[in-house]
Amino acid sequence: MRVIHTRLLLLLMIAAVVLTAGVAYWQEHQRSEDALEDLAAEQAEIARAAGLGIGDLLHQALTPTIVDQLRAIEVDGARVLVFPPGATEAKLLDGRSVAMPALADAVARGARELRIERRDAPLLGLPRRTAMVGIAPPVNGWTLAVAASAERQRDRDRAGLVRMMLSIVIAAGLVAAFGALARAQQRAQLELARELAVADVSRAKDTELEQISRAATMAALGSGVAHELSTPLGVIVGRAEQLLARANGDERIAKNAQTIIDQADHVDQVVRGLLGLARGAPIALQEIEPRRLVDEAATLVEHRFARANVKLALGLGATLPPIRCEPLLFKHALINLLLNACDASPAGATVHLDVTADAAEVAFIISDDGEGIAPTTAARAVEPFFTTKPAGRGTGLGLAIANEIASTHRGSLAIGRKSPRGTRACITIPTGEAHA
């Protein structure tokens, strides 16, 4: 709650500064617009007064006398424009015509004010800055207009805006400084909490991996025990059934033969029950999407990859058919291969897990960029208890278990060197339809 309150308070402070800046800017802009309108009104009044003063002299053309009188009002860079009766272009006092459709349209509409954009101001002999034109009512068919540059007004507005923005920047800096001080301790607490959470997740995943490893090892060994016992148990049951068929009414022989059959069946059920318990789920194949297996396996090993500073890149085909497998065992096979690839990779390297499929099989391919496996080592890699890792870092059962799991699922495990360097391990398993 403290984190949420601190962030909310900081956001409110920033919003207040932004709102204040927006209001101040709008007020400054509005004041500037009002000043331009006042300038235009002032020029219009000058034009109207000039028109009234020379109205009786305006008939057919501008005489030198009229021009001299009008030049008297061209002070501070202002320009007088004259529209003769019926004309569509204004004339300056030096006789030059000014082709400015916006000005002609304003005169035709009887407007009293017009803003001239900076690109058009040089046409009137004014600086390339915004200008305002005041237009007087027509006198004897002649229309007078006075244009003045808003250069000084704009400079004052810009200076005022700079001062305002400087004040806002200072205020924002103070808000940021106080916010930084307020969040300094908070960030330290959050970082500590994050590290503790990561450590908890890492420990939990290590525990889960250990449990899965133990269960998969027991399941793989249990599969071997069940396979080894199935043949002698079959022989025992077969011979007992022969004895039962030859009892010829001898109750004692029939009873003993049936006891042998029942006890053999009991042993078989006990072995199968232990095998199911070791696997942690009913012994049955399930249809499952390869993407789900890969995502779950990647999630379980991601902390080990992060600890080793090794990246894990997943590449799954767009459409992958489902497979039938015992999820716990098959996921453990993928985990064993991923951890081996991680251990073989230098810091900063990337391990790739790609899944491809055709009509009959789905292939799970794990490749790394380590030193690579030697051919002699690859040939013995799936042998139980064979390992090249230092003492205490490997049992030699990981690849053996993965190979056994692949075989159990009517698949295969292939391990070899990848060109130009690294190791490639591939588990193939029939698709759901092929498995059926």
Side-chain angles (χ1 to χ4, degrees):
M1 292 299 294
R2 181 182 300 174
V3 172
I4 296 176
H5 289 166
T6 303
R7 290 180 177 175
L8 180 60
L9 179 60
L10 184 58
L11 289 175
L12 289 175
M13 294 172 68
I14 293 174
V17 172
V18 173
L19 180 60
T20 302
V23 172
Y25 179 82
W26 179 83
Q27 289 179 341
E28 186 67 19
H29 176 74
Q30 191 63 38
R31 188 197 63 75
S32 178
E33 292 298 311
D34 292 342
L36 290 178
E37 291 180 4
D38 291 343
L39 178 61
E42 180 182 344
Q43 302 311 309
E45 184 61 28
I46 294 174
R48 188 185 70 82
L52 291 176
I54 63 172
D56 294 337
L57 303 176
L58 290 171
H59 294 289
Q60 298 300 321
L62 291 176
T63 65
T65 301
I66 295 175
V67 171
D68 289 340
Q69 291 185 26
L70 293 178
R71 287 190 188 279
I73 62 176
E74 286 190 333
V75 295
D76 295 331
R79 292 291 183 270
V80 175
L81 299 100
V82 181
F83 278 85
T88 58
E89 291 185 356
K91 288 184 177 296
L92 296 173
L93 295 183
D94 58 7
R96 288 183 297 132
S97 295
V98 178
M100 190 175 294
L103 179 57
D105 180 66
V107 171
R109 290 186 290 103
R112 293 293 173 259
E113 300 174 359
L114 178 67
R115 177 183 297 201
I116 303 297
E117 299 300 331
R118 56 187 300 164
R119 66 176 180 274
D120 295 329
L123 297 176
L124 305 178
L126 298 174
R128 188 179 290 274
R129 304 290 291 274
T130 301
M132 299 302 295
V133 179
I135 306 171
V139 177
N140 294 332
W142 293 74
T143 300
L144 294 181
V146 179
S149 175
E151 180 178 11
R152 284 182 289 183
Q153 174 65 35
R154 286 303 203 193
D155 289 341
R156 288 195 297 270
D157 294 343
R158 185 174 291 105
L161 183 61
V162 169
R163 289 194 297 271
M164 181 193 70
M165 294 305 296
L166 181 60
S167 299
I168 292 173
V169 169
I170 293 174
L174 291 175
V175 170
F178 283 118
L181 291 176
R183 294 194 62 190
Q185 185 176 6
Q186 175 186 313
R187 284 198 299 269
Q189 293 175 349
L190 287 176
E191 182 63 23
L192 179 59
R194 188 190 68 80
E195 291 177 357
L196 292 176
V198 170
D200 290 341
V201 170
S202 179
R203 284 194 296 270
K205 288 185 176 180
D206 277 335
T207 300
E208 187 175 357
L209 282 175
E210 184 179 353
Q211 292 173 348
I212 292 176
S213 179
R214 288 201 302 266
T217 302
M218 292 176 63
L221 294 176
S223 296
V225 172
H227 176 74
E228 293 299 326
L229 288 179
S230 62
T231 299
L233 283 176
V235 173
I236 291 172
V237 171
R239 296 299 174 87
E241 289 175 344
Q242 291 177 2
L243 289 176
L244 183 61
R246 297 176 182 177
N248 296 324
D250 190 327
E251 182 177 351
R252 187 173 65 85
I253 293 177
K255 182 178 180 180
N256 289 335
Q258 187 62 48
T259 298
I260 293 173
I261 294 173
D262 293 340
Q263 291 302 312
D265 182 69
H266 176 73
V267 170
D268 181 66
Q269 294 299 322
V270 169
V271 171
R272 294 180 183 277
L274 291 174
L275 181 59
L277 180 64
R279 289 179 174 176
I283 305 173
L285 295 178
Q286 302 177 28
E287 187 168 275
I288 190 168
E289 298 294 331
R291 184 179 299 274
R292 178 180 170 186
L293 288 171
V294 169
D295 288 343
E296 292 178 357
T299 300
L300 288 172
V301 301
E302 63 181 0
H303 69 290
R304 293 279 292 271
F305 275 73
R307 186 186 304 166
N309 191 23
V310 175
K311 297 179 181 178
L312 176 58
L314 305 181
L316 287 83
T319 55
L320 296 172
I323 61 174
R324 289 180 58 79
C325 70
E326 208 297 319
L328 180 66
L329 286 176
F330 197 84
K331 183 166 57 179
H332 182 69
L334 294 178
I335 289 172
N336 273 338
L337 297 179
L338 287 172
L339 292 180
N340 277 350
C342 179
D343 292 341
S345 300
T350 300
V351 171
H352 294 269
L353 170 52
D354 301 306
V355 184
T356 61
D358 55 26
E361 292 182 328
V362 177
F364 298 78
I365 306 167
I366 295 93
S367 58
D368 62 64
D369 295 323
E371 292 296 327
I373 188 170
T376 54
T377 302
R380 300 188 57 194
V382 297
E383 294 180 8
F385 306 106
F386 175 80
T387 180
T388 59
K389 295 181 180 180
R393 293 193 58 188
T395 62
L397 289 175
L399 293 178
I401 292 174
N403 183 62
E404 181 64 26
I405 292 172
S407 299
T408 302
H409 289 81
R410 293 171 51 189
S412 63
L413 169 62
I415 301 174
R417 190 175 184 86
K418 186 187 74 171
S419 179
R421 59 179 289 134
T423 301
R424 180 183 183 274
C426 177
I427 291 183
T428 56
I429 182 173
T431 62
E433 294 181 358
H435 209 297

